[in-house]
Amino acid sequence: MRKQFLHLAIGAILQGIAMALFLFPFNIASGGAAGIAILFEVWFDLSHAYTIWGLNIILLLFAVRWIGVLSSLKTVYTVSFTSLTIFVLQSFSIGLDMLPPIYVSFLLGAVVFGIGVGILFRNGASSGGLAIIAHIFFVLFKWLPGKSMFWMNMVVFSLIAYVIDWTLIFGAVLVQWIATKVINYVVSYQVQRDEDDTAMSA
C-alpha cells in the first residue's frame, strides 16, 4: 500500500510539472479542469492550483456515491499533490523566455502529463477533473466516458479559444492526442509486464 501511494504521488507530481512548466504558461489546457483553471485565472486572477484543487473537491463530494470512498480518497490525494506542485512551481518567476519554444513545450508537456496520468491509472486512481463527471454519466446514463469527456473538453477548449486566442484550441487538442497515446502506452506496458511476470511464475 505504501508503494502504491508513492507511485500515486509521483504520477501526480509529474502531472503538476507538465501543467505548471510546459502548458499553463502558454494557456494550453491538458483537460477540462485545467481549462477551467486557465479561464478562472483570466477572469478572476485565481491561482491555477486553487481552482484545480477546489473544483475536484467539489466534484468528488457530489460523486462519492458513484465513484466510491476509496477511489475518491485516492483522487483527493493525487489532486492535492498535483495542486501543490503547481503552486510551488508557479511561485517562482519563470518567464516565457526561460522555457523551450512553444511547440517543444507542447510536446514535453503532453508526454510528461501522459506519463503521470498513466501512472495514476496503473495504481487505481484518476486525474480527477471532468473525468469525475464522465464517470457519473456512465453510471447513470451509460454514456461512454471517452465520448462525454471529449465533448466536455471541447466545450472548455472552445471557450478558452474564444476568450483568449482561437489558435489555442489546436494546441489543446494536439496535447490531448499525444497525452492519450502516452497514457495508453504506459498502461498497456504495465499490463504486458504483469502478464509476462505471471507466465514466468506459472
Side-chain angles (χ1 to χ4, degrees), residues 137-198:
F137 284 164
F138 178 70
V139 172
L140 294 180
F141 310 114
K142 302 306 178 188
W143 295 351
L144 293 176
K147 184 177 291 187
S148 58
M149 277 289 296
F150 172 80
W151 287 112
M152 285 189 290
N153 285 340
M154 285 306 297
V155 169
V156 175
F157 296 164
S158 299
L159 189 55
I160 293 172
Y162 175 76
V163 171
I164 304 175
D165 186 337
W166 67 271
T167 59
L168 293 176
I169 194 169
F170 299 109
V173 171
L174 178 63
V175 166
Q176 281 271 295
W177 183 78
I178 297 172
T180 299
K181 297 293 184 182
V182 174
I183 292 167
N184 290 342
Y185 176 79
V186 172
V187 174
S188 62
Y189 173 78
Q190 178 65 25
V191 171
Q192 182 62 47
R193 194 173 72 172
D194 289 345
E195 289 176 351
D196 291 344
D197 289 345
T198 302

Side-chain angles (χ1 to χ4, degrees):
M1 181 63 74
R2 183 179 299 177
K3 185 177 180 181
Q4 183 186 51
F5 276 90
L6 175 61
H7 289 165
L8 289 175
I10 292 171
I13 290 170
L14 287 175
Q15 188 177 234
I17 290 172
M19 289 190 282
L21 291 185
F22 303 118
L23 301 178
F24 282 156
F26 297 100
N27 288 320
I28 294 297
S30 55
I36 293 171
I38 290 172
L39 289 170
F40 275 35
E41 197 271 338
V42 171
W43 288 336
F44 310 115
D45 196 28
L46 188 63
S47 166
H48 297 121
Y50 293 152
T51 302
I52 288 175
W53 194 83
L55 178 64
N56 277 282
I57 297 302
I58 292 170
L59 288 175
L60 285 167
L61 288 174
F62 283 106
V64 66
R65 171 183 172 186
W66 295 281
I67 294 179
V69 175
L70 180 59
S71 180
S72 295
L73 289 175
K74 283 184 179 180
T75 304
V76 170
Y77 177 80
T78 58
V79 167
S80 296
F81 268 99
T82 298
S83 300
L84 181 60
T85 302
I86 294 170
F87 180 81
V88 170
L89 291 176
Q90 289 188 334
S91 66
F92 297 99
S93 296
I94 302 174
L96 293 180
D97 58 323
M98 300 172 63
L99 298 174
I102 185 169
Y103 291 108
V104 176
S105 291
F106 284 5
L107 178 60
L108 289 173
V111 171
V112 174
F113 182 83
I115 293 172
V117 175
I119 292 172
L120 297 184
F121 284 161
R122 276 168 43 174
N123 289 275
S126 78
S127 57
L130 299 189
I132 298 170
I133 299 177
H135 184 88
I136 296 174
F137 284 164
F138 178 70
V139 172
L140 294 180
F141 310 114
K142 302 306 178 188
W143 295 351
L144 293 176
K147 184 177 291 187
S148 58
M149 277 289 296
F150 172 80
W151 287 112
M152 285 189 290
N153 285 340
M154 285 306 297
V155 169
V156 175
F157 296 164
S158 299
L159 189 55
I160 293 172
Y162 175 76
V163 171
I164 304 175
D165 186 337
W166 67 271
T167 59
L168 293 176
I169 194 169
F170 299 109
V173 171
L174 178 63
V175 166
Q176 281 271 295
W177 183 78
I178 297 172
T180 299
K181 297 293 184 182
V182 174
I183 292 167
N184 290 342
Y185 176 79
V186 172
V187 174
S188 62
Y189 173 78
Q190 178 65 25
V191 171
Q192 182 62 47
R193 194 173 72 172
D194 289 345
E195 289 176 351
D196 291 344
D197 289 345
T198 302
M200 291 177 63
S201 61

